[in-house]
């Protein structure tokens, strides 16, 4: 038997030669035409069988979902819809699939909600295989982007004792017996007896460790899983998500914005260049889905137009203070249309405000800077006015915040003051403060939520559909 060739490669392989393909049956028509997919690309290869030659017992077992191996000759196709097809000499069923009970019935397009419940099988649909190929391409492109620019990939720890964001949204890690934990005299739990001899949790961000590395290697990034125990049941939040966090010594806020904008544009361009077939499919999927909606709710641009639009226009950069003025005077604010009306400077921005700025006001990606210190993390560099910090959030259409970052507070006294004000325990963070004691330099970085990027590029609307096995409140299946 000839060596297996991937379906992706067979479309450009020489015709009139023998090949072996393996994959899963998508459809089987007229006891003659099998569509086979192996996930290497969106397209199926059509296999033509001669029922006299392939036994009745095998033909019965060619059902949607069955694992199959086919040996045959590649020929130029006689029929419409494909350039080449395989005329089978041998058909072997590798794994039967009972058509009656198979949960994926392609005839009536399964809903995304239903497929989420059978996430272990949803890879077998065109939509999800396309999404996960695009996700892969973007992950690869991230490493390429940084590697080409001389950044070093740092693996930040997943188990940590610190709360990098100071927001207290952590999953605890312990080996203590929860039914009978060791206690101190005052009744509190004695973590000295826990595995790490202290209270630990899953990381919410690799930033603090990336800062340690940046203050020696200059340009670094992390790309790892992060965990947040926030009870947000939204289409943009996960309890376990992947974050890309570059950290660069000697960069200020402007450099940081330039890096974020360059990176996002590079990644979108990479997807357009390397995932054309999958993006065209996802664009059509979105068009079909939007047909159900009233005209006014449909997107003005197709998926690919939207991606190109982001590349062609510089992101709008403005301060939080300027944004608040726009929002305060906006029609939805005056008409009471915002769920959280903007009353005064200092208000935290909700996704409805971010989306108004991006989708209605500027109609392009926006970078907001210099937020009030009260609504941002302790490590951001204080501005001269003592009221705002050198923060930046990148806001995207349909998504809201896709990146959060800042120039960091490199001055020891100022940093200690902020930590005190925000009740961040200084004694447990002495390792972090050491960077400010010994050769501190200006530096800046940011975090890109990987799933929010994949959401944007694939045109999907629920973040649970762009990570293989989503974790969210009440759900940790598979
Ligand atoms: O704005 P955040 O909380 O920033 C940080 O964690 C910083 N330490 C990053 C840094 O400066 N190195 O999170 C960064 C990004 C957000 O903009 C968002 O895209 C994503 O991470 N994100 C989430 N994505 C999915 N589910 C969640 N629950 C998320 N929380 C944040
Ligand atoms: Mg943020």
């Amino acid at each position: 038997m000839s060596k297996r060739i991937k379906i992706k490669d067979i479309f450009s392989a020489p015709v009139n030669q023998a090949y072996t393909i393996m994959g899963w049956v998508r459809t089987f028509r007229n006891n003659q035409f099998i569509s086979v997919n192996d996930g290497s690309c969106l397209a199926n290869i059509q296999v033509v069988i001669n029922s006299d030659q392939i036994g009745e017992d095998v033909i019965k077992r060619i059902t949607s979902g069955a694992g199959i191996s086919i040996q045959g000759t590649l020929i130029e196709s006689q029929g419409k819809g494909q350039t080449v097809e395989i005329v089978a000499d041998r058909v072997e069923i590798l794994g039967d699939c009972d058509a009656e009970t198979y949960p994926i019935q392609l005839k009536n397009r399964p809903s995304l909600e239903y497929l989420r419940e059978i996430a272990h099988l949803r890879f077998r649909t065109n939509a999800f295989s396309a999404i996960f190929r695009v996700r892969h391409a973007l992950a690869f492109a991230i490493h390429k982007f940084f590697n080409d620019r001389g950044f070093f990939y740092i693996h930040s720890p997943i188990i940590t004792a610190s709360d990098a964001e100071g927001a207290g949204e952590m999953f605890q890690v312990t080996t203590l017996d929860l039914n009978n934990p060791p206690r101190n005299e005052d009744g509190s739990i004695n973590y000295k007896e826990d595995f790490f001899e202290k209270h630990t949790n899953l990381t919410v961000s690799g930033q603090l460790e990336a800062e340690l590395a940046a203050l020696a290697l200059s340009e670094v990034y992390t790309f790892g899983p992060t965990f947040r125990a926030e009870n947000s049941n939204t289409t943009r939040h996960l309890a376990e998500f992947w974050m890309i966090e570059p950290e660069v010594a000697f960069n200020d806020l402007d450099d940081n914005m330039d890096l974020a904008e360059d990176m996002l544009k590079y990644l979108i361009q990479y997807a357009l260049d390397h995932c054309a077939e999958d993006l065209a499919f996802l664009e059509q999927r979105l068009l079909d889905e939007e047909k159900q909606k009233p005209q006014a709710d449909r997107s003005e641009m197709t998926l690919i137009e939207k991606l190109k639009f982001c590349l062609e226009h510089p992101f709008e950069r403005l301060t939080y203070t300027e944004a608040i003025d726009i929002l305060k005077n906006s029609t939805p604010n005056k008409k009471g249309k915002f769920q959280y009306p903007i009353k005064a400077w200092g208000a935290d921005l909700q996704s409805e405000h971010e989306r108004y700025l991006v989708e209605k006001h500027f109609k392009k990606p926006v970078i907001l800077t210099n937020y009030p210190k009260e609504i941002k993390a302790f490590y951001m560099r204080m501005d001269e006015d003592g009221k705002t910090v050198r923060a930046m959030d990148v806001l995207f259409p349909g998504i809201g915040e896709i990146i959060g970052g800042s120039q960091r507070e490199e001055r020891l006294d100022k940093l200690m003051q902020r930590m005190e004000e925000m009740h961040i325990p200084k004694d447990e963070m002495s390792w972090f403060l050491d960077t400010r004691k010994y050769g501190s330099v200006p530096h800046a970085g940011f975090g890109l939520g990987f799933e929010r990027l994949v959401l944007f590029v694939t045109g999907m609307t629920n973040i649970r559909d762009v990570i293989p096995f989503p974790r969210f409140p009440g759900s940790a299946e598979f």
Side-chain angles (χ1 to χ4, degrees):
M1 200 163 97
S2 49
K3 201 166 159 282
R4 174 189 165 225
I5 180 170
K6 286 191 187 194
I7 292 174
K8 170 166 81 85
D9 297 325
I10 206 154
F11 294 109
S12 51
V15 290
N16 303 323
Q17 291 189 18
Y19 295 96
T20 299
I21 58 143
M22 297 183 196
W24 293 267
V25 176
R26 279 290 161 81
T27 56
F28 184 35
R29 285 186 297 122
N30 304 344
N31 270 1
Q32 200 185 2
F33 302 106
I34 321 173
S35 275
V36 183
N37 187 284
D38 68 358
S40 60
C41 62
L42 186 76
N44 305 324
I45 182 80
Q46 172 158 292
V47 176
V48 188
I49 61 167
N50 177 343
S51 45
D52 299 337
Q53 194 184 343
I54 311 289
E56 184 66 30
D57 50 329
V58 173
I59 289 185
K60 272 207 315 254
R61 295 165 64 200
I62 305 175
T63 55
S64 286
I68 201 166
S69 170
I70 287 155
Q71 199 183 338
T73 307
L74 186 70
I75 58 159
E76 268 162 39
S77 177
Q78 317 294 307
K80 277 204 211 112
Q82 64 273 326
T83 51
V84 289
E85 60 194 16
I86 289 178
V87 181
D89 298 322
R90 251 196 75 197
V91 173
E92 186 190 345
I93 304 293
L94 300 174
D96 289 284
C97 182
D98 180 357
E100 292 296 305
T101 60
Y102 187 43
I104 296 191
Q105 303 290 337
L106 295 175
K107 267 166 267 157
N108 25 15
R109 189 177 220 173
S111 73
L112 295 172
E113 290 75 16
Y114 170 69
L115 291 172
R116 228 170 275 146
E117 286 166 21
I118 51 161
H120 56 302
L121 294 172
R122 67 180 177 171
F123 292 107
R124 305 221 187 161
T125 63
N126 282 338
F128 283 93
S129 55
I131 291 165
F132 292 119
R133 278 189 298 266
V134 173
R135 184 180 164 109
H136 160 80
L138 288 169
F140 180 80
I142 283 159
H143 289 297
K144 181 161 166 51
F145 174 83
F146 286 119
N147 186 60
D148 288 352
R149 282 159 189 74
F151 283 63
F152 300 109
Y153 178 29
I154 298 295
H155 294 97
S156 46
I158 291 174
I159 301 173
T160 168
S162 59
D163 178 2
E165 292 303 297
E169 294 167 333
M170 294 168 298
F171 289 100
Q172 191 177 337
V173 174
T174 182
T175 53
L176 292 179
D177 177 1
L178 292 180
N179 294 313
N180 186 23
R183 294 195 184 269
N184 298 312
E185 271 170 19
D186 64 1
S188 61
I189 292 172
N190 181 5
Y191 286 103
K192 280 263 177 308
E193 290 193 27
D194 203 348
F195 189 91
F196 297 106
E197 299 180 11
K198 54 162 72 165
H199 188 280
T200 52
N201 50 268
L202 295 177
T203 189
V204 295
S205 155
Q207 176 194 326
L208 302 189
E209 291 86 358
E211 282 190 54
L212 309 180
L215 290 178
L217 296 163
S218 294
E219 274 110 4
V220 302
Y221 70 106
T222 73
F223 183 1
T226 48
F227 308 86
R228 300 214 178 160
E230 52 189 336
N231 204 354
S232 308
N233 244 314
T234 78
T235 55
R236 295 169 313 110
H237 287 88
L238 290 164
E240 177 179 297
F241 62 99
W242 288 67
M243 188 155 43
I244 298 98
E245 297 184 273
E247 194 69 35
V248 185
F250 320 112
N251 264 9
D252 63 13
L253 190 60
D254 286 322
D255 302 323
N256 208 30
M257 286 192 275
D258 291 343
L259 180 65
E261 185 167 342
D262 286 352
M263 179 182 77
L264 286 168
K265 287 180 170 170
Y266 176 92
L267 297 174
I268 293 168
Q269 184 69 60
Y270 188 93
L272 286 168
D273 292 344
H274 294 84
C275 308
E277 186 189 32
D278 286 325
L279 290 180
F281 171 82
L282 290 166
E283 172 170 87
Q284 189 55 47
R285 198 204 70 81
L286 195 60
L287 287 171
D288 293 346
E289 189 182 85
E290 292 208 324
K291 276 190 203 139
Q292 329 283 336
K293 291 187 188 172
Q295 190 74 40
D297 295 349
R298 296 184 200 165
S299 329
E300 285 166 28
M301 287 183 232
T302 69
L303 176 61
I304 290 164
E305 282 168 355
K306 188 184 76 171
L307 297 179
K308 289 192 172 152
F309 182 86
C310 277
L311 297 179
E312 286 157 7
H313 300 270
F315 297 178
E316 189 72 33
R317 299 181 184 190
L318 69 157
T319 65
Y320 165 91
T321 304
E322 290 163 333
I324 283 289
D325 277 341
I326 294 170
L327 288 167
K328 241 185 357 203
N329 297 320
S330 70
T331 316
N333 200 49
K334 286 182 176 159
K335 288 197 172 161
K337 291 272 162 67
F338 284 141
Q339 200 186 338
Y340 299 89
I342 297 286
K343 298 206 179 90
W345 191 91
D348 202 355
L349 298 186
Q350 306 296 327
S351 119
E352 55 178 348
H353 309 127
E354 296 172 343
R355 293 186 57 174
Y356 173 82
L357 290 169
V358 173
E359 290 161 27
K360 298 280 176 329
H361 190 83
F362 291 109
K363 294 186 190 288
K364 60 175 165 164
V366 168
I367 312 183
L368 289 190
T369 61
N370 307 85
Y371 283 73
K373 63 178 181 192
E374 286 79 12
I375 57 173
K376 288 290 175 190
F378 70 94
Y379 49 70
M380 299 191 179
R381 194 182 203 277
M382 187 67 66
D383 283 319
E384 284 64 37
D385 63 6
K387 286 194 223 153
T388 56
V389 287
R390 257 172 234 181
M392 61 166 218
D393 277 6
V394 181
L395 314 179
F396 256 41
I399 307 280
E401 180 190 336
I402 195 163
I403 281 182
S406 70
Q407 185 174 336
R408 315 306 188 191
E409 183 56 83
E410 85 282 14
R411 300 162 296 185
L412 181 63
D413 54 334
K414 296 261 189 327
L415 181 59
M416 298 230 290
Q417 193 188 327
R418 279 309 284 154
M419 287 172 78
E420 227 152 77
E421 286 166 10
M422 298 179 79
H423 310 291
I424 311 285
K426 278 196 301 244
D427 36 335
E428 287 166 31
M429 301 277 279
S430 61
W431 50 273
F432 184 63
L433 293 170
D434 271 357
T435 53
R436 274 59 172 177
K437 260 192 216 159
Y438 307 119
S440 186
V441 298
H443 60 289
F446 60 81
L448 165 66
F450 186 50
E451 285 73 22
R452 293 198 184 168
L453 172 73
V454 183
L455 203 53
F456 181 74
V457 173
T458 58
M460 299 300 290
T461 45
N462 193 322
I463 200 163
R464 296 172 190 177
D465 293 334
V466 298
I467 188 167
F469 303 106
R471 268 83 183 94
F472 51 90
S475 179
E477 291 303 309
F478 314 107

